[in-house]
Amino acid sequence: MGLKADFSAELPAWRERVNKLVKENSDVVVDQVTVGQVYGGMRSVKGLVTDISYVDPNEGIRFRGFTIPEVLDMLPKPAGSQMPYVGGLYYLLLIGEVPTEEQAMDVENEWKKRAEIPDFVFDVLKSLPRDSHPMMMFSTAILALHHGSIFAWRYQEGMTRDEYWQPMLEDSLNLTAKLPSLAAYIYSLKYGKGEFIQPKTDLDWGANFAYMMGNPSQEYIDLSRLYFILHSDHESGNASAHATHLAASTLSDIYFAFSAGLNSLAGPLHGLANQEALRWLLGIHEEFNGVPSKDELYQYAWEKLNSGQVIPGYGHAVLRKPDPRFTAQFNYAQDHMPEDEIFQIAHLVYDVVPQVLIEQGKAKNPAPNVDAISGTLQYHYGIQEFEFYTVMFGVGRALGVSSNAVWSRALGQPLERPKSLTTAMLEDFAHKAK
Ligand code: NMX
Ligand code: MLT
């Protein structure tokens, strides 16, 4: 059938379901908004919809209804590999069903056909100062790729709203196909790693990334697949997904929209926390000349909090238990690198920091999120330039946000435009409520 035909087959039932829901229930109240939420980053306000993933505060992410262990177990895997094809995950996110090996390979093959990056994108990257943050380089390169947007071109030519999803899917496949090479190219250019290693046509998307990063070991190939799968989606309210959705809701194409998403991923409260988390673990290693005792770490964590800093990798806007994306990477590290001292520190931090945050009494969630451990594994496998980790987060995140963007087009989701109020109006609400 192929991905496009499978998507096409899913669509009529979804359109009917959504049209019926909205037509018959448009006035049904889903949520109320408090002054605290209006001034508090809209935390927990239910105002978005996606069927691609859902984050339960206690259980964590489910992709299309499946937990992370289920996804890792059910998706087709290359022979001899512990982790599945990333193409299989993209199929699951887009179509909503677990793919057969043939369907997963269909996505992988589409990616191979579309992987070539135009030369001018490399020229743009080469023209940037070498001390640029790699997230700026990545986001700039994505914007440059807009030049080839099929959606933008078809929109100018004229097409019906029902057709919007088709060029959006084409663009999304074209975009995601290029990301492993683009990220690996930025890595080799920025950190002077010598001649860029060209992708190999016989490797899958995840394996090619590991190969181009200069570590084609089976362990790093599997870790790369795991990393991209785990970072792909986290429902639609997180900053990078929401920024992508907001930008795309103006009918801008996926290149403009994903670049917007990346720009929000680049903040330390979001994706950049992974580099900060590793910086903090390495700082502990340096301070104590190795792995500290529990008491020493307890004191150190308090000093950090007392100096007004956050503990990177801990806390979450939605989650209230350890993030299963943390657990999956923690288990991988436990299996493959238990002797690594930075991992041992990450383990100790996991034992000590939640208690410190509970005692401080501010964070609603004292548990680790995905960023608490991801850099530790990358560092172990030789990717030691930790500014680069958010680029890798972005490569993974593209899978989720582009799947959402295609579905938004397919279901005719409108321009997003919530209403703002003034402080005086909120004071008035407060006054009347008393
Ligand atoms: N260390 C210190 N203080 C914290 C932490 C933490 N890890 N987490 C929350 N707090 C504080 C927070 O700064 C806030 O303080 P104040 O009232 O003085 O403003 C208070 O606890 C209440 O915050 P919450 O409601 O628990 O968290 P919120 O939803 O506002 O923010 C995060 C969520 C993730 C931004 C926050 O927990 C944080 O800053 N964590 C550290 C950075 C991090 O790990 N970010 C990565 C998130 C995951 N990702 O991949 O994007
Ligand atoms: C994410 O993966 O986007 C982060 O965990 C942040 C979030 O969900 O708010």
Side-chain angles (χ1 to χ4, degrees):
M1 278 269 269
L3 188 71
K4 190 170 176 188
D6 292 353
F7 192 97
S8 213
E10 291 291 320
L11 193 49
W14 271 105
R15 280 186 170 155
E16 199 185 321
R17 183 173 167 191
V18 172
N19 286 342
K20 182 173 169 8
L21 175 72
V22 177
K23 201 167 158 208
E24 294 174 8
N25 305 283
S26 188
D27 294 334
V28 171
V29 175
V30 176
D31 210 352
Q32 288 185 322
V33 185
T34 64
V35 170
Q37 287 171 315
V38 173
Y39 249 112
M42 296 194 283
R43 214 61 94 252
S44 303
V45 176
K46 299 181 188 74
L48 294 166
V49 58
T50 173
D51 292 285
I52 289 172
S53 70
Y54 179 75
V55 179
D56 177 86
N58 295 313
E59 187 192 53
I61 186 77
R62 276 181 185 256
F63 299 114
R64 290 289 191 176
F66 298 111
T67 63
I68 285 170
E70 286 166 350
V71 165
L72 298 180
D73 182 47
M74 290 180 331
L75 290 181
K77 297 182 184 67
S81 297
Q82 217 188 323
M83 294 296 159
Y85 289 111
V86 182
L89 176 89
Y90 203 44
Y91 186 96
L92 174 68
L93 298 183
L94 272 165
I95 308 297
E97 278 160 28
V98 178
T100 60
E101 171 138 15
E102 197 188 336
Q103 287 165 325
M105 289 314 290
D106 183 43
V107 178
E108 293 282 349
N109 289 332
E110 284 296 331
W111 276 339
K112 276 178 198 161
K113 281 189 258 165
R114 299 159 185 260
E116 198 171 325
I117 297 171
D119 280 346
F120 71 86
V121 176
F122 296 124
D123 294 341
V124 167
L125 286 171
K126 280 188 252 174
S127 74
L128 296 172
R130 218 38 63 83
D131 59 353
S132 303
H133 194 281
M135 278 300 274
M136 185 278 260
M137 300 171 85
F138 191 34
S139 183
T140 301
I142 300 296
L143 270 183
L145 284 168
H146 153 80
H147 181 263
S149 170
I150 299 171
F151 183 88
W153 170 70
R154 287 277 313 275
Y155 190 81
Q156 289 304 324
E157 294 275 296
M159 64 178 153
T160 67
R161 283 179 69 165
D162 281 357
E163 292 173 304
Y164 284 175
W165 69 270
Q166 298 179 26
M168 203 66 176
L169 177 60
E170 288 297 317
D171 276 354
S172 294
L173 284 165
N174 286 336
L175 166 72
T176 47
K178 295 173 179 45
L179 295 180
S181 304
L182 194 55
Y185 180 81
I186 290 171
Y187 183 72
S188 81
L189 177 73
K190 170 150 174 76
Y191 301 109
K193 295 283 172 185
E195 188 83 358
F196 171 56
I197 304 169
Q198 297 289 336
K200 261 185 158 176
T201 46
D202 59 336
L203 291 179
D204 59 86
W205 196 87
N208 242 329
F209 175 78
Y211 172 74
M212 289 183 280
M213 292 294 287
N215 184 350
S217 67
Q218 186 62 50
E219 277 184 28
Y220 190 60
I221 286 176
D222 270 331
L223 177 62
S224 299
R225 295 190 187 113
L226 175 68
Y227 188 99
F228 296 133
I229 289 172
L230 294 180
H231 288 79
S232 62
D233 209 32
H234 215 232
E235 66 172 41
S236 280
N238 71 74
S240 50
H242 192 194
T244 306
H245 174 73
L246 174 63
S249 84
T250 68
L251 296 187
S252 74
D253 58 67
I254 194 63
Y255 303 101
F256 280 128
F258 179 53
S259 177
L262 284 178
N263 299 342
S264 89
L265 191 67
L269 297 187
H270 193 14
L272 206 82
N274 58 16
Q275 79 172 49
E276 296 307 308
L278 184 67
R279 203 192 300 280
W280 132 265
L281 296 175
L282 292 176
I284 296 171
H285 191 259
E286 194 179 310
E287 173 86 12
F288 298 100
N289 206 12
V291 185
S293 70
K294 271 192 174 180
D295 286 348
E296 285 170 330
L297 184 62
Y298 177 88
Q299 290 299 335
Y300 188 85
W302 264 115
E303 277 163 28
K304 176 136 181 140
L305 289 179
N306 288 337
S307 71
Q309 297 173 59
V310 296
I311 307 235
Y314 281 73
H316 200 272
V318 176
L319 292 169
R320 294 296 174 257
K321 288 274 162 59
D323 187 337
R325 300 172 298 174
F326 168 86
T327 311
Q329 293 180 92
F330 187 92
N331 292 343
Y332 196 87
Q334 190 87 278
D335 287 349
H336 296 286
M337 43 182 270
E339 307 302 330
D340 183 291
E341 284 202 346
I342 306 301
F343 171 61
Q344 289 173 2
I345 294 175
H347 194 160
L348 197 65
V349 168
Y350 180 39
D351 290 340
V352 171
V353 159
Q355 184 55 33
V356 174
L357 287 172
I358 289 169
E359 285 168 21
Q360 191 204 30
K362 278 169 69 173
K364 293 192 188 67
N365 174 29
N369 62 57
V370 65
D371 295 323
I373 187 91
S374 56
T376 303
L377 287 97
Q378 295 303 321
Y379 197 77
H380 177 84
Y381 286 102
I383 315 303
Q384 303 206 328
E385 299 79 3
F386 37 89
E387 277 189 335
F388 187 73
Y389 300 159
T390 314
V391 173
M392 295 179 58
F393 191 152
V395 171
R397 187 49 51 100
L399 303 164
V401 299
S402 62
S403 303
N404 272 290
V406 178
W407 273 102
S408 295
R409 290 285 188 273
L411 297 175
Q413 287 197 355
L415 175 75
E416 190 180 297
R417 204 310 188 180
K419 183 79 188 86
S420 58
L421 301 168
T422 65
T423 302
M425 288 170 185
L426 290 180
E427 284 165 346
D428 203 35
F429 272 113
H431 183 69
K432 285 182 184 140
K434 285 197 177 119

